[in-house]
Amino acid sequence: MILELDCGNSFIKWRVIHAADCTINGGGIVDSDQALVAAVAGLSSLSLTGCRMVSVRSEEETSSLCALIQASFGVEVNVAQPVQEMAGVRNGYDDYQRLGMDRWLGALGAYHLAGRACLVIDFGTAAKADFVAANGEHLGGYICPGMPLMRSQLRTHTRRIRYDDASAERALSSLAPGRSTVEAVERGCVLMLQGFARTQIEQARAMWGEDFTVFLTGGDAPLVQEAAPKARIVPDLVFVGLAMACPLN
């Protein structure tokens, strides 16, 4: 069994797969290193043979988690590293090491699945878009605040905006103009994300006509599906690229 980790700034997404056929034995999202160890250890018949990780955390935080994984489960962690080219995809940043590894692996995974020009839009803590041409050239992308950041900033800097997560979830039953603060904020943020998605698709269409594939990924991707009805939603797109970058037997 292989433990796969996607370590973001706020959460750790994890899953355990069988090495032979890549079937998923378990997975989830946790908010701390200790919670990760507890969740993985709670799987029945756990027998890890390896671990691979993509991390946008600091080197110190990443090394600390690697040490914890090795101490807890007796396996070394293979951490994905930036490269200029892999699997037919060429990194488009002037300084290739500065491209976030989550974006790079998403681009690798998308191009592998599509086999043609593709647009990857990731809706996590930040909203990110990356363009990969038909020849595998990564053309760059965009980053803006995602749903969690927009919501957090409004709650932090506007004193009268106070509501709980349950209220936020109920507010998203519709995108009609809000008749309460929670509805106005939540629906406004979703419309901003949908606008972001539509703009990226327009840019891709201007470059490639209709000959490209749109991938939506990240926890808030379902909120944007209405704006990209032909897109492929691939929640584990980063893990597709991670398996390519860090092959394990």
Side-chain angles (χ1 to χ4, degrees), residues 21-174:
D21 55 10
C22 292
T23 56
I24 300 173
N25 190 58
I29 299 175
V30 294
D31 59 3
S32 71
D33 296 359
Q34 292 70 28
L36 170 68
V37 170
V40 175
L43 291 179
S44 60
S45 304
L46 181 69
S47 179
L48 293 181
T49 58
C51 175
R52 53 190 170 215
M53 173 195 297
V54 54
S55 176
V56 297
R57 296 175 162 191
S58 68
E59 290 187 15
E60 182 179 354
E61 291 173 317
T62 300
S63 297
S64 177
L65 179 54
C66 289
L68 180 61
I69 293 295
Q70 185 166 10
S72 301
F73 302 110
V75 294
E76 292 189 7
V77 182
N78 192 348
V79 181
Q81 300 296 326
V83 294
Q84 287 186 306
E85 184 171 351
M86 177 176 286
V89 181
R90 288 177 296 283
N91 192 311
Y93 262 31
D94 294 332
D95 179 357
Y96 74 92
Q97 298 186 69
R98 302 292 294 177
L99 176 64
M101 286 303 300
D102 54 340
R103 292 174 60 197
W104 172 241
L105 296 183
L108 283 180
Y111 189 73
H112 172 74
L113 293 176
R116 64 173 187 166
C118 51
L119 165 63
V120 182
I121 315 179
D122 183 348
F123 293 99
T125 303
K128 296 159 283 190
D130 284 281
F131 297 78
V132 183
N135 64 359
E137 188 73 29
H138 172 242
L139 303 178
Y142 299 92
I143 303 173
C144 72
M147 193 77 174
L149 282 178
M150 286 192 287
R151 181 188 293 126
S152 173
Q153 287 300 301
L154 284 169
R155 284 177 172 177
T156 300
H157 296 288
T158 308
R159 292 184 178 182
R160 292 183 179 273
I161 295 180
R162 295 289 185 273
Y163 55 84
D164 57 26
D165 291 340
S167 299
E169 186 174 349
R170 288 193 299 271
L172 293 178
S173 61
S174 166

Side-chain angles (χ1 to χ4, degrees), residues 116-119 131-134 139 198-214 230:
R116 64 173 187 166
C118 51
L119 165 63
F131 297 78
V132 183
L139 303 178
R198 289 190 178 99
T199 300
Q200 309 313 308
I201 293 170
E202 288 172 5
Q203 293 226 60
R205 190 172 286 123
M207 289 189 291
W208 303 318
E210 298 297 329
D211 192 17
F212 66 97
T213 301
V214 180
K230 296 182 179 179

